[in-house]
Amino acid sequence: MSNTTGNTLLAVLAGVAIGAGLGILYAPDKGSKTRGKLKDSFDDAKNDLQSKFDTVSLQLTDKLTTAKFDLEETYEDLVSNMSHKTEEVISFLEEKLAELKRQNAKLQK
């Protein structure tokens, strides 16, 4: 952001803050009513923010639960596949060992 744009944005924000302050000072309502309105506005904003936080928290919890389930399922599949592969390797090695024993028996004759 260029320096001119930054200065313009800063001036606009300062104007908004000054305008809001003057609006509160010269409001037609009594100070207690203005403070009550401000408190109500802050309470509404707080409740809205809490609601959004709760929604995001619930969504995140759901996603993490789903990810955990998927990870557990993938782990179980991996262990199952490894078990089958281990059996295949053992069978292969037993066949090779039997073949070597036959060759060794021929050589010893």
Side-chain angles (χ1 to χ4, degrees):
M1 177 164 46
S2 71
N3 195 23
T4 305
T5 306
N7 288 340
T8 302
L9 183 60
L10 183 63
V12 168
L13 290 175
V16 168
I18 291 170
L22 288 174
I24 290 172
L25 287 175
Y26 291 107
D29 289 336
K30 292 172 64 176
S32 59
K33 284 187 179 182
T34 302
R35 285 190 297 278
K37 288 179 182 178
L38 286 174
K39 183 183 179 306
D40 290 343
S41 295
F42 284 126
D43 287 344
D44 290 344
K46 182 183 103 176
N47 291 337
D48 185 44
L49 187 60
Q50 183 66 43
S51 174
K52 288 179 181 177
F53 176 78
D54 291 342
T55 300
V56 169
S57 178
L58 184 61
Q59 290 173 348
L60 184 59
T61 301
D62 289 344
K63 287 184 188 271
L64 288 175
T65 301
T66 302
K68 180 182 175 191
F69 177 75
D70 290 345
L71 182 62
E72 288 172 351
E73 192 174 279
T74 302
Y75 174 74
E76 289 172 6
D77 289 345
L78 180 63
V79 168
S80 176
N81 288 337
M82 291 302 294
S83 177
H84 293 296
K85 294 293 181 187
T86 302
E87 291 298 323
E88 289 176 12
V89 168
I90 289 172
S91 296
F92 175 78
L93 291 175
E94 286 174 344
E95 289 172 11
K96 288 296 181 183
L97 181 60
E99 184 181 321
L100 289 173
K101 284 182 178 180
R102 284 192 299 272
Q103 288 176 358
N104 189 31
K106 285 181 184 178
L107 292 175
Q108 289 185 4
K109 287 184 182 179

